[in-house]
Amino acid sequence: MILWFRHLPEKSLDVSEWKPFIKNDFFRTHYMKLVYLLMVIFFLAPEWFGERFTSITHLPLILIIILVFIIHEIIHIFVINSKGDISLTFRGIFFWLNTNAILSKKRFWIFMSLPFIALTIIPAITSLFLYGEIKSLILFISWFNLVISSSDIVNSILILIKPNTSEFCRGYYRV
């Protein structure tokens, strides 16, 4: 079941068995500041490299942005849809998915990484074989998804650090 813009009921986890996903208190407290910094860096990167996406000005960029965001979230949902309930929630302009499902390390890493791979890495590689306006469009899609994947990138790295037998649920993990 997918709950739109509502929180899932809290799942009780035995804290003697489940550890916080981010152990370091400082990093856990300032996690979103790191994500915002990463977003700003990714947002400004095209300017630093001299790319301004000026060749795609006649395309409806806001529509492309909305479409990329929706596809990004659908990919997340596709990975965990059969595992448990899902909630799409938001605060301000930031959206995120929650699930009560217990996910293996592999599935959780795929959940976090697949939208980044499918909408940033693959289009960026594909753009090497394209030219003109279509190349700019593909690079724009790749760039925008990179910006909205900032938290996913950090989480994917943190998931890889955990032991292979780890299971994850609601910001906690157990081995």
Side-chain angles (χ1 to χ4, degrees):
M1 170 179 63
I2 299 176
L3 299 175
W4 300 100
F5 312 115
R6 292 184 305 175
H7 295 283
L8 290 171
E10 286 295 320
K11 186 172 190 164
S12 63
L13 298 173
D14 181 6
V15 291
S16 65
E17 185 181 357
W18 291 88
K19 310 278 186 271
F21 178 65
I22 301 173
K23 287 183 181 181
N24 185 295
D25 289 331
F26 176 82
F27 187 58
R28 189 174 37 241
T29 303
H30 300 287
Y31 173 80
M32 284 310 294
K33 291 175 187 168
L34 172 69
V35 169
Y36 295 148
L37 177 64
L38 207 53
M39 288 176 117
V40 167
I41 290 169
F42 291 155
F43 185 80
L44 295 174
E47 186 70 28
W48 297 334
F49 293 110
E51 177 62 55
R52 294 193 177 110
F53 302 114
T54 54
S55 63
I56 56 174
T57 55
H58 71 281
L59 294 172
L61 292 183
I62 192 71
L63 185 62
I64 293 168
I65 287 170
I66 292 168
L67 194 59
V68 169
F69 173 77
I70 290 170
I71 293 170
H72 178 103
E73 295 304 324
I74 287 172
I75 292 170
H76 277 310
I77 291 169
F78 176 74
V79 173
I80 60 169
N81 189 34
S82 64
K83 291 295 185 181
D85 295 337
I86 301 166
S87 168
L88 177 66
T89 55
F90 72 98
R91 181 178 298 154
I93 62 169
F94 295 101
F95 289 80
W96 64 91
L97 288 170
N98 285 320
T99 182
N100 280 336
I102 295 175
L103 303 172
S104 67
K105 177 179 178 173
K106 180 180 176 183
R107 184 170 293 263
F108 193 48
W109 186 82
I110 291 170
F111 169 73
M112 280 296 161
S113 303
L114 193 59
F116 172 69
I117 293 167
L119 293 172
T120 297
I121 294 176
I122 291 173
I125 292 169
T126 303
S127 74
L128 298 173
F129 305 103
L130 302 171
Y131 59 92
E133 188 172 305
I134 191 73
K135 179 177 183 163
S136 292
L137 176 62
I138 296 296
L139 284 173
F140 179 80
I141 290 168
S142 180
W143 166 76
F144 180 73
N145 191 68
L146 178 68
V147 172
I148 65 174
S149 293
S150 298
S151 180
D152 297 347
I153 293 167
V154 174
N155 282 329
S156 293
I157 293 167
L158 293 174
I159 292 165
L160 289 174
I161 295 170
K162 303 298 181 204
N164 287 335
T165 57
S166 299
E167 293 181 314
F168 300 85
C169 184
R170 305 283 302 214
Y172 293 88
Y173 81 102
R174 70 178 173 193
V175 180

